[in-house]
Amino acid sequence: MLEPGSFLAELSPQDRADLEDRGRIREFARGEVLFQEGERSSWVAVLLTGRVKAFSNREHGGEALLAVRGPGSLLGEVAAIDRRPRSATVTTLEPARALALTAEDFMGFLRTHGAASILIMKTLCERWRDADRKRAEFGMFDATGRVAERLVELAERFGVPYSGGGGKSVRITLNLSQEELAGWVGASREAVSKALRTLRADGLVETGRRRVIVHDLQALREHAR
């Protein structure tokens, strides 16, 4: 199922068919690298199934998680457009399928499909706004607040109803480790572990090995703010 608002979900049926005619389907195992930060690559991917993470390597080790993308997302388009090295590494979080196009075929598609070009601009603007919002969070929230914000985002995008929580609980289906969550909120693993303990003590979440259940999404959203 495509993510609502994603590039592929927003394309018209005819534009989508034209795009698919220009590419080929590729399969990826969990943990496989699609794009490597700093490399010069000549292809673009449209995610069909599965989820991926985009991250940058920190100067002193570890990953700074930049984004999580789901089905329908366009990947690698910036490097195809500006012809500069990749700005992030993209790896799969689970087995995935993607439509792969050469940069030339992708740019040819944009030249002949104006609506798709406008959709690209809209997508990039949304990503810039999201990046600005996350940067602002560093000055507004402590680690617990930032963890709560990311759990709200994950629950809204990747949550499914959880029957064991009295009707309001949501299970996050995307499995992120505490290290990955720490890289996303810009905190240490210890700070994230402490934040999760606080949220558990407040009865807002339940956690296990790569499992998070949000018991009251609205309460968690209010807690984050």
Side-chain angles (χ1 to χ4, degrees), residues 26-34 47 49-53 90-98:
R26 290 184 59 181
E27 306 275 348
F28 298 92
R30 183 182 184 277
E32 192 167 348
V33 175
L34 279 72
L47 198 60
T49 64
R51 290 167 288 202
V52 303
K53 65 176 180 178
V90 177
T91 64
T92 55
L93 291 166
E94 56 198 26
R97 296 171 64 246

Side-chain angles (χ1 to χ4, degrees), residues 197-212:
R197 285 199 301 270
T198 298
L199 297 175
R200 285 197 301 267
D202 290 341
L204 298 175
V205 304
E206 175 185 336
T207 65
R209 179 171 174 78
R210 288 183 174 265
R211 184 191 70 166
V212 178

Side-chain angles (χ1 to χ4, degrees), residues 4-112:
S6 65
F7 176 74
L8 199 58
E10 293 293 314
L11 282 181
S12 70
Q14 184 59 59
D15 283 358
R16 179 173 177 176
D18 291 346
L19 182 69
E20 291 172 346
D21 285 343
R22 296 170 183 259
R24 64 184 181 90
I25 303 298
R26 290 184 59 181
E27 306 275 348
F28 298 92
R30 183 182 184 277
E32 192 167 348
V33 175
L34 279 72
F35 306 121
Q36 186 73 47
E37 183 178 9
E39 73 175 358
R40 291 189 178 275
S41 183
S42 59
W43 69 287
V44 174
V46 181
L47 198 60
L48 301 177
T49 64
R51 290 167 288 202
V52 303
K53 65 176 180 178
F55 65 90
S56 181
N57 291 309
R58 289 174 168 169
E59 184 177 351
H60 301 294
E63 299 175 359
L65 186 60
L66 304 175
V68 175
R69 306 289 183 214
S73 296
L74 181 62
L75 308 170
E77 76 282 2
V78 174
I81 293 171
D82 67 13
R83 301 290 181 165
R84 298 180 65 182
R86 301 288 185 190
S87 59
T89 297
V90 177
T91 64
T92 55
L93 291 166
E94 56 198 26
R97 296 171 64 246
L99 177 70
L101 302 92
T102 66
E104 290 74 17
D105 283 340
F106 176 70
M107 294 304 295
F109 172 77
L110 293 185
R111 292 188 189 99
T112 56

Side-chain angles (χ1 to χ4, degrees), residues 46-213:
V46 181
L47 198 60
L48 301 177
T49 64
R51 290 167 288 202
V52 303
K53 65 176 180 178
F55 65 90
S56 181
N57 291 309
R58 289 174 168 169
E59 184 177 351
H60 301 294
E63 299 175 359
L65 186 60
L66 304 175
V68 175
R69 306 289 183 214
S73 296
L74 181 62
L75 308 170
E77 76 282 2
V78 174
I81 293 171
D82 67 13
R83 301 290 181 165
R84 298 180 65 182
R86 301 288 185 190
S87 59
T89 297
V90 177
T91 64
T92 55
L93 291 166
E94 56 198 26
R97 296 171 64 246
L99 177 70
L101 302 92
T102 66
E104 290 74 17
D105 283 340
F106 176 70
M107 294 304 295
F109 172 77
L110 293 185
R111 292 188 189 99
T112 56
H113 296 73
S117 297
I118 293 174
L119 183 56
I120 292 284
M121 290 191 289
K122 178 184 175 183
T123 299
L124 292 176
C125 288
E126 288 173 349
R127 291 180 184 178
W128 287 330
R129 288 179 183 272
D130 181 65
D132 287 343
R133 179 174 60 84
K134 286 183 170 63
R135 279 194 292 270
E137 288 175 5
F138 282 92
M140 297 168 58
F141 306 136
D142 59 9
T144 301
R146 297 200 301 273
V147 168
E149 281 281 352
R150 295 291 72 73
L151 292 181
V152 168
E153 178 180 344
L154 291 172
E156 290 176 340
R157 292 178 60 196
F158 307 118
V160 297
Y162 179 69
S163 58
K168 293 197 298 183
S169 296
V170 174
R171 179 174 61 87
I172 296 173
T173 61
L174 181 70
N175 296 323
L176 289 180
S177 67
Q178 285 194 13
E179 289 84 357
E180 289 168 327
L181 186 56
W184 205 3
V185 302
S188 67
R189 186 182 183 281
E190 292 72 20
V192 168
S193 180
K194 181 179 178 180
L196 290 173
R197 285 199 301 270
T198 298
L199 297 175
R200 285 197 301 267
D202 290 341
L204 298 175
V205 304
E206 175 185 336
T207 65
R209 179 171 174 78
R210 288 183 174 265
R211 184 191 70 166
V212 178
I213 297 169

